[in-house]
Amino acid sequence: MTLYVPPSPSGAVVIRTDFSTVEDTWRNILLATSEPIYLDGAEGPLSIEALFINSTTYEGATPADIANAESEGLPRVAALADSETFSGRKPVTFAAVDMASKSGRTFRFRVEELWLVVTNLTEGNLTFGELFDQAVDGVLSSHPLSPKYTL
């Protein structure tokens, strides 16, 4: 099966690949990722407009499947809401997939920090490889500016 990842204006797409849990968990993830970020000196709150995909078409898809999916206007990063995301373990994390290199390389990051990963990649502050290298045991460490809403 060939998957298709649609383009995203923000450069980020969140793809649900696990459907074994109740919808409340997915709704909580949507709330956590849409919380505005307030930074000192900023004119207003920061937010990103990621494309969220909640379709069983992607059920069970691996990072390699997503990295090699067909796409127009390829997003810089895909965040997978996978079985680990819905496992009940804290903190709740996404798997970040390197879409540019098609390598299927991943690291995990807290759901609330989607803004941090997307902003750094789209603004060119950090590359996927630099974020990957900062991950400790495969998980990007928590950022002190993350929203107060946590899962």
Side-chain angles (χ1 to χ4, degrees):
M1 168 177 68
T2 302
L3 294 174
Y4 173 76
V5 176
S8 170
S10 70
V13 60
V14 177
I15 303 170
R16 184 176 180 181
T17 64
D18 182 89
F19 291 84
S20 63
T21 61
V22 295
E23 289 301 304
D24 286 349
T25 305
W26 179 246
R27 280 192 291 278
N28 287 337
I29 287 170
L30 295 176
L31 285 171
T33 55
S34 64
E35 190 73 14
I37 308 302
Y38 296 90
L39 299 177
D40 289 339
E43 292 182 22
L46 303 175
S47 63
I48 60 160
E49 295 180 19
L51 174 63
F52 289 86
I53 299 174
N54 184 25
S55 168
T56 56
T57 300
Y58 300 91
E59 187 168 15
T62 66
D65 294 335
I66 299 300
N68 291 299
E70 294 180 11
S71 182
E72 304 163 13
L74 192 68
R76 292 181 178 266
V77 64
L80 301 189
D82 58 8
S83 59
E84 176 68 21
T85 305
F86 294 103
S87 70
R89 287 193 269 295
K90 302 288 183 181
V92 179
T93 60
F94 285 139
V97 179
D98 185 358
M99 297 297 287
S101 74
K102 300 280 187 190
S103 69
R105 243 183 351 173
T106 65
F107 63 85
R108 298 200 73 84
F109 65 95
R110 286 180 46 212
V111 166
E112 302 89 353
E113 295 181 343
L114 178 64
W115 71 274
L116 179 68
V117 171
V118 172
T119 301
N120 276 300
L121 291 173
T122 57
E123 296 294 323
N125 298 332
L126 295 168
T127 66
F128 189 94
E130 289 168 326
L131 288 170
F132 180 86
D133 290 343
Q134 289 181 22
V136 177
D137 296 326
V139 181
L140 196 62
S141 63
S142 181
H143 190 275
L145 299 175
S146 291
K148 292 185 169 86
Y149 185 99
T150 58
L151 294 174

